[in-house]
Amino acid sequence: MRKLTLLAAAMLTTSISAPAFADGHLRITDEPVELTVHLHNKRYSYDENWPVEQAARELTGVHLKGATFGTNTPSSQEAHNLMLASGDIPHIVGGDKIKDMVNEYGPQGAFVPLNDLIEEHAPNLKAFFDKYPEKMAAVSSFDGNLYYIPYLPDGKYGRAYWMRQDWLDTLGLEQPQNVDELYDVLTAFRNDDPNGNGVQDEIPFFARQWPEVLRLLTFWDGRSSGSDTYHDFHVVDGQIKHGYAIDSYKTGIENIAKWYAEGLIDPEVFTRGSSAREFLLSENLGGMTHDWFASTSGYNISLKDKVPGFDFAVIAPPASISGKRVAEHRRIPVKPDGWAISHTNPDPVTTIKYFDFYFTEEGRRLANFGIEGEQYEMVDGQPIFTDEFKAKGPINSSLYQVGSQVQRGYFQDFNYEIQWTNPSALRGIELYDAGDYLIDQFLGVAFNEEEQAVYDKKWSSISTYMQEKQQAWILGSADINAEWDDYQATLEKMGYSDVIEAMQSAYDRQYGG
Ligand code: CA
């Protein structure tokens, strides 16, 4: 009922204001307003010459002057520290990973709470957060206030299971439907020479980032992470848990260690690093991995000539021992990136209206696609990148250079990405969509001081201990079955339950548990 009323109100506003202000309906201020902005990312920092910025300035009357700290460091954290230490915080603070900073210093007065400003002056932001209250809860501080407008990725899918379909065909095998069939396929990849060179040189399962090997835990009903950050907590029915302390972990690690010992998992999985995918695929050695839809699909094009018959296909997640098919990784719906209003800002009302502009249809298109006639043309009411623009190279980097897809607070439009995603990835996304394999994710918590103190004191050493044991067990230098009871007792002694309690209390406050 409430949503319907809001929608009606939003439509009413549009129909009244559009004719009244004809070509200036996005204008925020008659007299131009200048505000300073810090917006840092490892690849770029704010540039008032970005065509997108110039267009926004033209449409709204608000001119953001670049005042980014640390433009010569790739570390946004370092840039934030420089800015905070200077005592001269720009009017708007944005870019990479600002969430923890604004949620810690906002309640102390360094950043302006946005809730009332949105309610009174930002109809598009209000409509967005009314529609997605869980996204607002996920980025609010422990005092219940919102201190930044986040960058909100669109599209649900991140990584998928990829397997050499041409190897399956060569060996006369079907795609594995469950963990037992997966074991048989990987064993055949190891034994039966699918690359046909007469040498047993195949690496059945590999990963660019070694923690991807932990996704295999889900085949034994375990978990490796609840978010798009490795080794993170997860939530089951409102209860915070950690995948490396639950019972199914023992069975999972025991089996991963067995697969590793049998040569089904890359012996160099912990050390091979980010070139693993490029190397093992282009040398016709790798059989299966868990990696991103879009970028992995590109090998079907780039290796077409080098590896005859090369066909890397997305397969559905094989079912676990209890029959569950799980895609544990997905895109996070709210990023710790975005922008905030600092206490030095002379005009928070104009600023929130400016933030709101990027949630209008025109502003969102500008933030996602760039400038009409330059980067895209409208075709049947949709912005479509021009061939000239696509020919310039990777779309992401080209868009950063004009000020699109940069980490201001905005809602991404997945259509921008679909236009340059390979058909094999799009087919994979359809497969995962049809199977409904995604599971709920943990969007993080904002601690109060007391909880933060417990977490800071205990978690880092517990996490280090967990990962040390994990590697030793997988590599076979220790046996999880022999050590499981000791392991659990040690976690307890190190304060595992205290950390879970702090997480749970923050989680309950934030998500109304
Ligand atoms: Ca071979």
Side-chain angles (χ1 to χ4, degrees):
M1 197 60 205
R2 181 142 177 261
K3 270 178 195 152
L4 279 175
T5 316
L6 279 164
L7 184 63
M11 289 170 74
L12 197 61
T13 312
T14 311
S15 62
I16 290 171
S17 62
F21 299 95
D23 45 29
H25 70 284
L26 296 167
R27 196 150 189 95
I28 292 166
T29 160
D30 293 336
E31 293 300 314
V33 169
E34 282 194 0
L35 296 165
T36 56
V37 61
H38 164 103
L39 195 153
H40 189 280
N41 177 284
K42 63 175 182 282
R43 288 171 298 235
Y44 53 81
S45 57
Y46 181 85
D47 182 349
E48 58 193 81
N49 296 314
W50 279 335
V52 165
E53 281 309 313
Q54 293 182 13
R57 185 168 138 194
E58 188 79 13
L59 289 166
T60 63
V62 178
H63 181 185
L64 302 196
K65 305 281 287 178
T68 302
F69 285 79
T71 51
N72 54 357
T73 168
S75 160
S76 293
Q77 180 65 49
E78 200 179 316
H80 298 158
N81 291 342
L82 284 169
M83 177 186 70
L84 293 169
S86 78
D88 182 20
I89 305 183
H91 302 145
I92 295 171
V93 172
D96 241 16
K97 298 189 177 62
I98 61 165
K99 179 183 170 184
D100 288 348
M101 171 176 63
V102 300
N103 281 346
E104 182 174 355
Y105 296 109
Q108 298 175 26
F111 297 96
V112 177
L114 305 179
N115 309 57
D116 291 348
L117 286 168
I118 291 173
E119 189 72 26
E120 288 160 32
H121 304 288
N124 296 287
L125 276 166
K126 181 171 157 45
F128 182 86
F129 284 125
D130 280 339
K131 189 173 173 190
Y132 303 107
E134 74 287 356
K135 298 192 187 202
M136 190 166 193
V139 293
S140 293
S141 183
F142 69 86
D143 65 0
N145 286 321
L146 183 73
Y147 287 98
Y148 80 108
I149 303 299
Y151 154 42
L152 300 130
D154 193 19
K156 296 183 283 188
Y157 296 95
R159 294 180 174 91
Y161 291 103
W162 292 84
M163 183 171 272
R164 288 291 295 274
Q165 183 63 49
D166 53 325
W167 284 14
L168 289 171
D169 295 345
T170 297
L171 301 180
L173 298 169
E174 298 292 325
Q175 292 182 357
Q177 300 303 320
N178 58 49
V179 59
D180 293 333
E181 293 179 13
L182 176 61
Y183 175 81
D184 292 342
V185 163
L186 294 177
T187 302
F189 280 0
R190 182 198 59 196
N191 291 343
D192 300 342
D193 194 25
N195 67 6
N197 64 353
V199 184
Q200 193 175 355
D201 55 355
E202 289 80 359
I203 306 287
F205 180 92
F206 64 93
R208 272 192 300 162
Q209 290 96 3
W210 73 261
E212 290 302 331
V213 81
L214 302 168
R215 302 288 180 196
L216 306 182
L217 286 167
T218 58
F219 299 142
W220 292 277
D221 295 333
R223 293 295 301 274
S224 77
S225 178
S227 75
D228 72 344
T229 302
Y230 290 124
H231 318 299
D232 204 353
F233 297 82
H234 65 273
V235 184
V236 180
D237 299 331
Q239 297 302 302
I240 300 273
K241 295 178 184 299
H242 198 283
Y244 308 161
I246 57 178
D247 287 343
S248 56
Y249 183 61
K250 183 163 73 115
T251 320
I253 290 292
E254 182 187 349
N255 280 281
I256 291 172
K258 175 174 182 281
W259 288 22
Y260 183 84
E262 292 177 7
L264 306 187
I265 293 168
D266 184 3
E268 295 177 44
V269 71
F270 290 109
T271 51
R272 199 185 291 274
S274 59
S275 62
R277 183 178 63 172
E278 173 73 28
F279 174 74
L280 293 171
L281 291 181
S282 62
E283 295 299 314
N284 200 10
L285 295 171
M288 178 190 182
T289 194
H290 188 251
D291 212 320
W292 288 85
F293 276 98
S295 65
T296 311
S297 71
Y299 288 95
N300 285 319
I301 308 287
S302 63
L303 294 180
K304 204 165 44 142
D305 298 328
K306 182 155 195 264
V307 185
F310 184 86
D311 182 4
F312 213 27
V314 172
I315 62 164
S320 75
I321 47 169
S322 71
K324 291 193 200 79
R325 290 183 188 262
V326 168
E328 188 184 49
H329 179 257
R330 63 192 293 177
R331 284 181 197 221
I332 195 166
V334 267
K335 293 292 273 187
D337 324 327
W339 53 16
I341 304 179
S342 87
H343 73 101
T344 64
N345 191 306
D347 195 348
V349 170
T350 294
T351 309
I352 201 74
K353 287 179 176 174
Y354 182 75
F355 287 0
D356 194 59
F357 160 73
Y358 281 106
F359 282 74
T360 63
E361 187 187 338
E362 295 90 337
R364 188 180 179 209
R365 196 184 301 143
L366 196 59
N368 274 283
F369 296 92
I371 311 288
E372 184 172 4
E374 298 286 328
Q375 285 73 45
Y376 71 90
E377 299 285 0
M378 292 300 282
V379 180
D380 299 331
Q382 296 293 324
I384 304 293
F385 291 122
T386 65
D387 291 340
E388 291 90 328
F389 180 64
K390 282 195 282 192
K392 282 184 177 172
I395 298 273
N396 290 45
S397 351
S398 304
L399 285 172
Y400 297 147
Q401 287 167 26
V402 300
S404 269
Q405 298 290 337
V406 305
Q407 277 126 323
R408 56 169 68 82
Y410 80 107
F411 185 23
Q412 194 179 48
D413 182 344
F414 191 59
N415 286 322
Y416 111 91
E417 198 168 316
I418 285 181
Q419 293 183 36
W420 47 275
T421 301
N422 189 281
S424 64
L426 294 177
R427 278 196 303 275
I429 288 172
E430 277 171 31
L431 176 72
Y432 276 46
D433 226 18
D436 197 18
Y437 304 130
L438 293 179
I439 49 179
D440 284 345
Q441 60 180 341
F442 172 57
L443 296 177
V445 293
F447 291 125
N448 64 23
E449 268 176 55
E450 200 181 322
E451 294 151 357
Q452 184 79 51
V454 172
Y455 181 88
D456 288 349
K457 186 170 169 215
K458 301 185 172 174
W459 181 245
S460 156
S461 53
I462 294 173
S463 179
T464 303
Y465 170 70
M466 283 174 158
Q467 287 179 54
E468 277 169 12
K469 296 311 293 183
Q470 180 176 70
Q471 289 210 12
W473 291 329
I474 293 174
L475 292 169
S477 57
D479 176 3
I480 190 168
N481 280 311
E483 297 187 350
W484 182 248
D485 291 343
D486 279 349
Y487 172 70
Q488 290 206 307
T490 306
L491 289 181
E492 210 40 62
K493 215 184 304 171
M494 294 176 86
Y496 175 76
S497 291
D498 301 333
V499 174
I500 289 290
E501 201 180 308
M503 297 285 303
Q504 189 70 48
S505 105
Y507 183 85
D508 290 346
R509 179 178 57 244
Q510 198 156 352
Y511 301 94

